[in-house]
Amino acid sequence: MAMNTPMEIRKLQAMRGWTWIKQGWQLILRNPLMSFSMALIGALALPLAMLIPLLGPLLAVLLLPILLAGYMRACRALEEEEEAELAHLFAGFGQRTAGLVSLGAFLMLGLMLISALMAYLGGDAFIKLLETMQSTEDPQVLMDALMGMDKDLSTALLTGFALMLLLIAGWQYAPILVFFSGITPLVALRASFTGTLRNVIPYTLYSFIMQLLALGLGIIPFGLGMIVLLPLGLTSLYVSYRNIFPWLDAQDTSSAAPEATPPDTRDAP
């Protein structure tokens, strides 16, 4: 169903970045086993899809927005104090699948264009850097390659980094917006981009705290810290979506959360 409600995209205060993490953790605590399990299953599904000959990378990129939407559906169940089920992770296969797949295609196209531009700007030095990254796992070798890069390679990397940030800003909320509201992918991309840029200050704080958590959890052997970091990143994304785009739930009556349900992920700014 298309959205007829006027679009409201909130601009939040800086400390909301911490609130996203705190309330994301509160959602996890409502069902830790399911929260962690679904995040791991979703994370493993993507590299497994990559193993499929020829079509693997394409399938992985197209699968990403579907699994993201499914995890957000599980977050909605946790928010409403419903029972979160593994079936929620695959809800995107049965609801607004075409819109989600088109967002995967948009992401793939964006990544391809950014990579092509970086290769054009960086020339042979960029190709050599990619070969070095593929052939070694020694961080010192990579650091030496980066320290010795020329002006063209520096321009390519900085340009690619900037464009990747813009792509993420325009894409990160789009699958959630399409899934819960039924708005078109193009409208969702514009709303995601606007919502992210409008809240760049809380995002800066949010990113800083998440990086500190990543450093702290990174010392846990065998990458086990990711078991905590990955679901926290997903649940905090859901909380930020609920804060920034409150207008969606007014028309999404089939899945709107009750106003008094804690944690209140729709707090006023």
Side-chain angles (χ1 to χ4, degrees):
M1 177 172 57
M3 186 193 68
N4 297 318
T5 306
M7 184 181 299
E8 177 189 356
I9 301 178
R10 287 175 171 171
K11 181 177 182 180
L12 306 172
Q13 297 176 355
M15 285 305 297
R16 190 53 61 92
W18 162 244
T19 302
W20 298 339
I21 297 173
K22 180 180 66 174
Q23 293 186 348
W25 180 248
Q26 290 173 357
L27 284 179
I28 290 175
L29 292 180
R30 293 189 169 186
N31 193 334
L33 180 60
M34 189 58 67
S35 299
F36 296 146
S37 298
M38 285 192 291
L40 287 176
I41 291 172
L44 290 174
L46 297 178
L48 288 177
M50 293 281 289
L51 297 177
I52 299 175
L54 300 178
L55 297 178
L58 172 62
L59 291 176
V61 175
L62 297 180
L63 187 62
L64 177 59
I66 295 177
L67 293 177
L68 177 60
Y71 198 91
M72 297 301 106
R73 176 63 184 92
C75 289
R76 176 60 59 86
L78 292 173
E79 181 187 29
E80 295 183 343
E81 297 187 323
E82 297 177 356
E83 182 178 355
E85 303 174 351
L86 184 59
H88 287 146
L89 184 62
F90 306 104
F93 286 103
Q95 179 178 338
R96 290 157 186 156
T97 308
L100 294 172
V101 169
S102 67
L103 288 173
F106 176 86
L107 178 62
M108 179 180 62
L109 178 61
L111 293 173
M112 291 175 60
L113 290 175
I114 292 173
S115 298
L117 179 60
M118 292 177 68
Y120 173 76
L121 294 175
D124 293 339
F126 179 74
I127 303 300
K128 184 178 180 180
L129 177 62
L130 292 181
E131 293 174 348
T132 301
M133 293 174 64
Q134 295 175 352
S135 62
T136 183
E137 295 182 357
D138 187 352
Q140 186 59 47
V141 174
L142 295 178
M143 287 299 298
D144 292 342
L146 291 174
M147 292 296 293
M149 60 184 177
D150 57 19
K151 179 180 178 181
D152 290 341
L153 182 56
S154 299
T155 301
L157 293 179
L158 289 175
T159 301
F161 179 73
L163 291 176
M164 278 298 299
L165 289 179
L166 294 177
L167 179 61
I168 292 172
W171 194 87
Q172 64 176 347
Y173 290 115
I176 317 175
L177 296 167
V178 167
F179 180 76
F180 281 121
S181 73
I183 60 179
T184 66
L186 181 59
V187 173
L189 289 166
R190 290 204 307 261
S192 176
F193 187 77
T194 301
T196 301
L197 292 191
R198 190 170 291 178
N199 290 279
V200 65
I201 295 178
Y203 264 111
T204 301
L205 177 61
Y206 169 80
S207 299
F208 177 73
I209 297 174
M210 289 296 289
Q211 288 173 13
L212 290 179
L213 290 175
L215 289 174
L217 295 171
I219 65 175
I220 301 177
F222 309 112
L224 295 178
M226 288 299 296
I227 296 178
V228 175
L229 191 64
L230 178 58
L232 180 58
L234 292 170
T235 55
S236 58
L237 177 66
Y238 175 78
V239 173
S240 65
Y241 142 76
R242 292 283 274 158
N243 280 190
I244 296 172
F245 305 99
W247 47 271
L248 284 176
D249 297 282
Q251 68 89 30
D252 187 20
T253 56
S254 62
S255 59
E259 293 184 1
T261 299
D264 187 356
T265 56
R266 298 167 296 163
D267 290 342

